[in-house]
Amino acid sequence: MAVGLGVNDFIACCGSTKFAEQMVADGPFDTYDKAVVAAKNIWFNKVDVHGWLEAFAAHPQIGQNPSSVANKSSTSAQWSKGEQSTALATATDSSLQELYEWNSQYKQKFGFVFLICASGRSTPEILAELKRRFSNRPIVEFEIAAQEQMKITELRLQKLFSNVDVTKAEEGRVTILGGHLTAPSVPTRVRPPITTHVLDIARGCPAGGIEVLLEVYTSKKSGPVFGQSGDDMWTFQGSSATDKDGRSGQLMKIVNELTPGVYRISFNTGKYNPDGFFPFVSIVFEVKESQKMEHFHVPLLLSPFSFSTYRGS
């Protein structure tokens, strides 16, 4: 029973003040599962960019003394030390130095500490992941860091909802989270299965006020063909506009299973930047039968004369 949990308890799980305050407002939660559902909804749908960066800043670099991070709760510092125990136990002087150097390069490139759910991971594993992610574009890495923060938050929420020893909780991380993720019951989504996020890389900020349209291909034909418009074969699903953080509102209903098919998401970039090269941008993607339970996040990187996108998780 989680009655009596306050802001400081949730700050220890996630360093965002807005996250902690919203968890208190939405609580109390009588089970861990209910707390996780609320946490995911708050983190991904209610906490803004500043809140994400605040949470990232509450973490020490891997190999750094957790108590050296400013404004950290004592509980968070203790948990960070435990989460890094495997990494520190498998580190050598040379690997720690290499980790320090790569952490410094990472922070210089992205502006925040390299974030990874370190529990049970060795120093060589963490180094390999750091090097792999270093080549990512900033918006890609920002989204990945947010996903890693949620993994850490889930682990720490479990500690709040149990009386198990911290060390045992760390050792049982894979079992705890694995069992939660593979439970036979169908998880309830807290956001639509298709979302988007637009970043104006020319200005170095989120792109707010861009009109977004989501459609699905409904013709009986096998699918849209390159070079053929077939505009009458697309059915409206929803529309919205990006907010100050570059995130669109709800483009479709929140459903557990996304109908397989071909989808098209369009951005009114010409209205946002009349002097730009693209009057609008449309991205077509296919959801297969095996992917209907997945979440499709389609961020857009926008500049006056180019754009790029990737499929997020």
Side-chain angles (χ1 to χ4, degrees):
M1 185 71 68
V3 175
L5 291 178
V7 170
N8 288 338
D9 296 302
F10 292 117
I11 280 284
C13 296
C14 175
S16 164
T17 303
K18 184 172 183 178
F19 171 86
E21 292 175 345
Q22 191 64 54
M23 285 292 286
V24 172
D26 288 3
F29 310 102
D30 55 2
T31 67
Y32 165 72
D33 287 341
K34 291 180 181 178
V36 168
V37 169
K40 287 183 176 180
N41 181 43
I42 292 168
W43 178 246
F44 290 114
N45 297 324
K46 297 182 180 180
V47 176
D48 58 19
V49 170
H50 301 292
W52 282 14
L53 291 174
E54 182 186 13
F56 298 167
H59 291 279
Q61 292 183 358
I62 304 296
Q64 178 186 3
N65 184 354
S67 62
S68 65
V69 179
N71 300 320
K72 280 180 68 73
S73 72
S74 59
T75 301
S76 179
Q78 179 186 4
W79 286 346
S80 290
K81 185 176 180 180
E83 289 157 4
Q84 294 190 27
S85 59
T86 300
L88 294 177
T90 57
T92 63
D93 290 343
S94 60
S95 63
L96 278 178
Q97 180 61 32
E98 187 178 10
L99 191 60
Y100 173 80
E101 292 171 355
W102 274 95
N103 269 317
S104 298
Q105 293 179 54
Y106 179 97
K107 190 170 184 179
Q108 183 176 8
K109 177 179 179 179
F110 296 108
F112 50 85
V113 68
F114 173 69
L115 201 63
I116 188 171
C117 189
S119 294
R121 292 177 180 259
S122 67
T123 291
E125 287 181 85
I126 292 171
L127 258 174
E129 183 66 6
L130 197 164
K131 293 175 181 178
R132 184 187 69 81
R133 285 168 48 184
F134 185 78
S135 62
N136 286 337
R137 296 188 298 272
I139 190 172
V140 176
E141 189 57 24
F142 194 54
E143 295 277 350
I144 292 175
Q147 295 285 348
E148 291 297 314
Q149 173 62 62
M150 180 45 58
K151 292 178 185 178
I152 296 168
T153 301
E154 287 187 59
L155 177 62
R156 294 183 177 186
L157 283 172
Q158 192 277 333
K159 294 172 185 174
L160 286 182
F161 280 79
S162 69
N163 294 318
V164 298
D165 181 74
V166 171
T167 302
K168 291 181 179 179
E170 292 301 327
E171 294 173 349
R173 168 184 172 271
V174 174
T175 302
I176 293 167
L177 292 183
H180 174 64
L181 293 174
T182 58
S185 59
V186 178
T188 301
R189 292 186 189 266
V190 295
R191 52 179 173 167
I194 297 176
T195 56
T196 188
H197 187 190
V198 186
L199 180 67
D200 188 334
I201 59 177
R203 301 176 183 175
C205 63
I210 292 185
E211 298 172 354
V212 184
L213 172 67
L214 178 65
E215 301 164 290
V216 64
Y217 187 78
T218 52
S219 172
K220 294 182 179 180
K221 297 181 179 180
S222 60
V225 178
F226 177 76
Q228 298 180 10
S229 60
D231 288 337
D232 58 335
M233 300 175 181
W234 294 93
T235 300
F236 174 83
Q237 292 291 290
S239 63
S240 181
T242 55
D243 60 17
K244 64 179 182 179
D245 293 314
R247 300 180 182 278
S248 71
Q250 190 166 313
L251 296 173
M252 64 183 305
K253 294 180 180 179
I254 300 178
V255 293
N256 280 338
E257 293 190 8
L258 180 60
T259 302
V262 178
Y263 291 81
R264 180 170 69 183
I265 188 166
S266 301
F267 305 84
N268 192 355
T269 51
K271 183 176 180 180
Y272 173 78
N273 183 8
D275 297 326
F277 185 73
F278 296 95
F280 68 91
V281 171
S282 289
I283 300 166
V284 177
F285 59 96
E286 183 176 7
V287 177
K288 299 184 182 300
E289 178 69 27
S290 61
Q291 299 173 312
K292 62 184 181 182
M293 297 298 297
E294 295 185 21
H295 173 248
F296 291 81
H297 188 61
V298 190
L300 184 74
L301 301 179
L302 187 65
S303 74
F305 301 105
S306 67
F307 75 91
S308 61
T309 186
Y310 74 102
R311 186 211 152 179
S313 59

